[in-house]
Amino acid sequence: MFFLSEIEHTLRLPPYLLNRPLNEAIKGELDSTFLDKVIEKLGLCITVYDIQSIEGGFIFPGDGASTYTVMFRLVMFRPYEGEIISARLQESTKDGLRLSLGFFDDIYVPVPLLASPVHSEPDPRLKDSVTWIWEYDGQNYPIDGADEIRFRVHNVSYPPIPLEQEEEASDKKAVKPFAPMVITGSLDGDGLGPVSWWV
């Protein structure tokens, strides 16, 4: 789920940071550049783990900032296919479930990957929301968000950045914001789904 990734980056250090210790100033700039950002094929950056080397310190003509080549390691969130993760229910719609880890919210479980057989019932508390119910051995087991939900990672994708935004009509639902990393999960398996199903 969490990995260390080594990266080399050319960093411009603004002049107002030159009075701070070099490692501290560079770590602050790396944090602001990479923290909470998704790097394709590497995952979501959680934090700068350490700085391996700093080289350079060149000041280019017409620029008051110094430029360094920095080798450092980042702690990245990138689950692997087949990994079992516990999350919380964020949204339940006719298209499936949306789950959250607290620090990452783009986890989707589409209807074909829910436990089967399954059916939905309208949720009286929320408009445009449904409650998915697994039918097993003559009993109904709802996915209502009361418990943590265990899911298996089915796929991790990095969608291309859209060049044009869809027009937002006043009477239509708001356009979903772009997600640079999307996890598709599955609840179809033993031990998967709300924890209360299996206790």
Side-chain angles (χ1 to χ4, degrees):
M1 182 182 321
F2 295 99
F3 296 91
L4 282 178
S5 293
E6 190 172 74
I7 295 178
E8 183 177 276
H9 182 68
T10 302
L11 181 73
R12 181 181 179 275
L13 196 62
Y16 69 88
L17 292 175
L18 295 176
N19 64 342
R20 296 173 63 192
L22 186 60
N23 270 4
E24 184 182 311
I26 287 179
K27 186 173 184 318
E29 284 299 293
L30 291 173
D31 279 341
S32 66
T33 303
F34 290 99
L35 196 65
D36 291 335
K37 306 281 190 317
V38 171
I39 301 173
E40 189 170 356
K41 306 295 182 206
L42 291 181
L44 174 69
C45 177
I46 303 298
T47 188
V48 175
Y49 183 74
D50 65 0
I51 296 173
Q52 306 261 298
S53 68
I54 302 170
E55 295 176 3
F58 303 109
I59 299 177
F60 293 107
D63 189 7
S66 54
T67 304
Y68 296 91
T69 300
V70 184
M71 183 76 75
F72 58 98
R73 292 189 294 178
L74 296 173
V75 176
M76 307 297 289
F77 168 69
R78 183 183 71 237
Y80 57 88
E81 289 184 22
E83 183 174 5
I84 306 294
I85 302 175
S86 293
R88 289 276 180 194
L89 181 66
Q90 185 163 358
E91 184 179 28
S92 179
T93 65
K94 62 178 176 52
D95 300 322
L97 305 175
R98 182 175 179 205
L99 306 177
S100 172
L101 294 173
F103 63 91
F104 185 79
D105 297 335
D106 295 312
I107 304 168
Y108 298 93
V109 181
V111 176
L113 295 177
L114 290 172
S116 130
V118 68
H119 72 275
S120 65
E121 294 178 358
D123 189 341
R125 298 171 290 156
L126 300 168
K127 184 182 176 190
D128 298 330
S129 188
V130 298
T131 299
W132 287 97
I133 299 170
W134 178 41
E135 304 159 16
Y136 179 74
D137 204 22
Q139 293 195 32
N140 289 337
Y141 296 92
I143 302 174
D144 55 9
D147 299 316
E148 279 193 340
I149 297 172
R150 284 195 192 116
F151 69 95
R152 176 179 289 116
V153 176
H154 182 72
N155 184 18
V156 179
S157 62
Y158 301 89
I161 298 172
L163 299 177
E164 296 179 13
Q165 291 293 327
E166 297 176 21
E167 293 290 326
E168 185 177 339
S170 58
D171 58 337
K172 291 185 180 177
K173 223 168 99 171
V175 177
K176 186 173 85 172
F178 172 71
M181 181 170 94
V182 176
I183 298 172
T184 304
S186 170
L187 300 185
D188 198 8
D190 290 342
L192 303 178
V195 176
S196 62
W197 289 0
W198 306 101
V199 208

